[in-house]
Amino acid sequence: MDAANIELQIKRAECDSTNNNFELHLHLGPHYHFFNGALHPVVSQTESMWDLTFDKRKTLGDLRQSIFQLLEFWEGDMVLSVAKFVPAGLHVYQTLDGDHRTLCEIEIADGEDIFVWNGVEVGGIQIPAGSDCEPLLLNVLHPATSGEEEECQQLIDSPHVFPSNAEIGSVFTAFAIPDGVILVNNTESVGEESWTTIPKEDLKKTFREQGLRNGSSILIQDSNDGNSLLTKQGKWITSMNEIDWLQVKNLCQLDSEEEQVKISATLNTVVFDIRIKAIKELKLMKELAEDSCLRPIDRNGKLLCPVPDNYTLKEAELKMGSSLGLCLGKAPTSSQLFLFFAVGSDVQPGTEMEIIVEETISVRDCLKVMLEKSGLSGDAWHLRKMDWCYEAGEALCEEDAALKELMLSSGDTLLLIEGKLPPLGFLKVPIWWYQPRGSLHHWKSHQDQTNCTFSQGGVWRANSIQDASSDAHAEVSLRYLGDVDISEDATLGELKSQAMTLPSFSEFSIPSPAFLRAWTVESRRPGRLLRVHYQRLREYKLGQRTEICLEPLQKEENLGPQHVLLRTQMRLPGKRAHALPGDLVWDTARGWTAGSLRHQVADFYCLPVEKIEIAKYLPEKFEWLPVPSWNQQITKRKKKKKQDNLQGAPYHLKDGDTIGIKNLLVEDDDDFSAVRDDIGSEKQEEFALGKKRSPEALRVRSGDVPSGAATPARPRGPEASLSIHVGSFRY
């Protein structure tokens, strides 16, 4: 009977889980940037989105708390919003509120995309949210007169994103056109359906009011141009003839001036016929018919992928009035791929090399062909696909996979990046040595208080603390040790052990991996603390680009999920400076309250709890944020429950934060600042005012303002790219 009951309970639990659990896709704001009217991943969609299985009977507050625990690196306010993918990218819609409401009541659906951000901006750019400003991806066409004063004009087709609540007249501003006539086509096929002229009095209407949607087309024309495009019975015409032509430029003979001809065609004309006719009208050699191809020319003058001869203009998605280049070489067959490639990640548009390969070729063989064509040798290279903003994207890790299996298509750009990739399921982790300058490395428990003494009058002193007028807590020193190839199934302890085998690690006397503290490296500074020694690297979701720094300890350390590591600094009375920082491990098992932290700090420094004041340091602002005492909070009894949680706003306390301590036995003012804070604030004000100063005047001395990183240059390795993104200074 007991066995039957247990089995029944298991089945009920499984049924309960099946009926009430659903999956949410979390999109992390710091992993996105706003570009061309929508949000796009900084690195890749895989690393920017986390999947979370959650009970839909729980409240929004439970979901928010779970995400807080999952994202240990999160700083600042956390706002959850429903997001959706649109053709322009990711767009934020409804912001979720009401922490007491269940997810069922909020009508969150299974598989919903949730954007996690601060509710205002991403990467320093304010994000428009809501269905009213949903971005629309439109095709905008406008005529450009050729250099030889052709009777007909060439159409330039460029995709552009507009908010759906923007006025249609904003098209003129976006393309720097002072005035003109706008025609719209709400069908996806540009050349077949009718166009409608927008009256001038309707230019103040929004795109949505005019019925435009994703894929709609807009044509801009000059109202004063006699040869401009007009509408008659809803069809495209000019003052002379229907637009049924393409412009073909002669790019075969580099030693002669460019020639171009206009070839009549329809959407059903085959590309081969256009190419042969162009060769005849350009009066070129007949032999070119066997060794030439047509390549579209974009608005920047770049040659795109060759068009197969057997395609019609409609199949090739070529618009009437487009420009094509007649080039040497055959177009790829249906089983081949035309790829652009370049060496390194610093690629300028138009400088790529070109290659045609079979779509069944493996990544390894394709790499060899590209290396040979580039004049390079060796096996310490790998391929990455270039993303939409001309940066190195995801690596092609499956070297035995065919290009077709990896969904590569003609026109894609691959980058040859130095450095051999680890096998599938392995990580190549760059390891750095992190030595906090002047830090007192010890974990001081309640029993270990040997450095604390009281002098006459109850004044606290620390035997080992020195004057740290330079505030060393703000400086970081990182030294590159090397790369570690390790399985994602290995533990954090195994990563530390393997790092200790690096040749450059031999100069450090570390007894065991337990004497090392591991952090992720973010912006050349310690970021997220990796605390559980036996946890697998896969569970940390490190990703292919994560770097780790190791900090030496004087004692073994075994931090649990309830522990928070803080850097504490005692203010030196009468000097406007602070002592050297020490490590304090705060046990938050009894809550993230100010009272709990104050008692832990008081025990750490052997001071009465009522005789200390504490504050969190905000290094980007050069400010100290006081943490109120219980007596200060009791006057705000109604708000105490919300305020007395240091994990939330405005403190957002996390691992690695600096806490300042003031001994009220020797000074009773409320000033935590140091001289360097005054200097840093003045510098920030100067930059904010936009003062023009010489490089010598802007050069910061090491003793004036924290440099953020006194880090030597890292040897060139597999991750050779450098991406610069504007950070957020909002708190």
Side-chain angles (χ1 to χ4, degrees), residues 435-480:
Q435 180 70 61
R437 296 186 177 182
S439 178
L440 300 179
H441 279 288
H442 62 276
W443 175 3
K444 192 169 190 178
S445 64
H446 295 290
Q447 293 76 27
D448 180 20
Q449 298 175 350
T450 57
N451 287 333
C452 295
T453 61
F454 279 91
S455 65
Q456 294 180 355
V459 178
W460 173 88
R461 290 179 181 174
N463 298 334
S464 60
I465 292 185
Q466 309 168 19
D467 184 352
S469 58
S470 63
D471 280 357
H473 71 268
E475 300 200 17
V476 175
S477 177
L478 294 179
R479 175 183 171 186
Y480 176 67

Side-chain angles (χ1 to χ4, degrees), residues 151-171:
E151 289 183 348
C152 293
Q153 294 173 316
Q154 175 189 349
L155 284 177
I156 297 177
D157 184 0
S158 58
H160 200 88
V161 177
F162 294 94
S164 56
N165 60 351
E167 296 179 358
I168 286 194
S170 62
V171 174

Side-chain angles (χ1 to χ4, degrees), residues 87-345:
L90 187 69
H91 180 65
V92 178
Y93 287 86
Q94 170 194 359
T95 295
L96 303 178
D97 53 10
D99 282 3
H100 62 283
R101 302 170 63 192
T102 66
L103 300 185
C104 292
E105 294 174 340
I106 303 177
E107 298 182 351
I108 299 295
D110 186 18
E112 195 86 75
D113 292 294
I114 303 296
F115 191 63
V116 185
W117 60 317
N118 60 17
V120 179
E121 48 81 26
V122 172
I125 300 177
Q126 190 167 353
I127 303 302
S131 57
D132 291 343
C133 57
E134 178 181 316
L136 298 177
L137 181 60
L138 307 176
N139 297 314
V140 181
L141 303 96
H142 57 95
T145 305
S146 67
E148 297 185 3
E149 300 183 357
E150 296 280 341
E151 289 183 348
C152 293
Q153 294 173 316
Q154 175 189 349
L155 284 177
I156 297 177
D157 184 0
S158 58
H160 200 88
V161 177
F162 294 94
S164 56
N165 60 351
E167 296 179 358
I168 286 194
S170 62
V171 174
F172 294 126
T173 304
F175 287 87
I177 297 176
D179 193 12
V181 177
I182 294 180
L183 300 86
V184 297
N185 181 1
N186 287 328
T187 59
E188 295 183 0
S189 181
V190 175
E192 295 180 339
E193 301 296 334
S194 62
W195 289 77
T196 304
T197 303
I198 302 296
K200 285 197 173 183
E201 58 270 18
D202 289 345
L203 291 180
K204 291 190 176 295
K205 290 186 177 180
T206 66
F207 290 94
R208 176 162 290 170
E209 290 172 341
Q210 287 291 347
L212 273 75
R213 56 183 183 270
N214 287 298
S216 296
S217 297
I218 293 178
L219 175 63
I220 307 174
Q221 65 177 24
D222 187 354
S223 57
N224 298 322
D225 188 354
N227 289 334
S228 61
L229 299 176
L230 304 172
T231 56
K232 183 178 180 181
Q233 297 178 349
K235 297 291 184 179
W236 284 3
I237 63 167
T238 64
S239 56
M240 295 160 289
N241 297 304
E242 291 282 341
I243 298 183
D244 56 357
W245 50 267
L246 296 170
Q247 187 169 265
V248 180
K249 296 183 179 181
N250 173 24
L251 302 180
C252 293
Q253 299 176 353
L254 300 179
D255 55 347
S256 63
E257 295 183 3
E258 280 189 3
E259 299 177 6
Q260 56 188 21
V261 292
K262 217 166 38 187
I263 305 297
S264 300
T266 67
L267 288 174
N268 294 320
T269 304
V270 179
V271 172
F272 174 79
D273 296 335
I274 296 175
R275 184 168 64 87
I276 297 301
K277 189 173 182 180
I279 292 174
K280 293 179 179 178
E281 295 195 14
L282 288 170
K283 300 179 180 179
L284 299 175
M285 297 181 296
K286 294 182 180 180
E287 289 77 5
L288 282 176
E290 302 297 328
D291 189 28
S292 62
C293 61
L294 290 178
R295 300 179 60 177
I297 303 173
D298 70 6
R299 56 186 176 135
N300 296 318
K302 178 184 175 181
L303 286 171
L304 303 181
C305 176
V307 183
D309 276 346
N310 58 338
Y311 277 28
T312 64
L313 296 186
K314 184 177 180 180
E315 292 171 338
E317 298 182 356
L318 291 174
K319 313 297 183 186
M320 289 299 179
S322 300
S323 288
L324 301 173
L326 180 65
C327 306
L328 293 173
K330 294 183 179 180
T333 64
S334 58
S335 63
Q336 292 178 326
L337 296 177
F338 181 94
L339 301 174
F340 297 99
F341 71 98
V343 179
S345 56

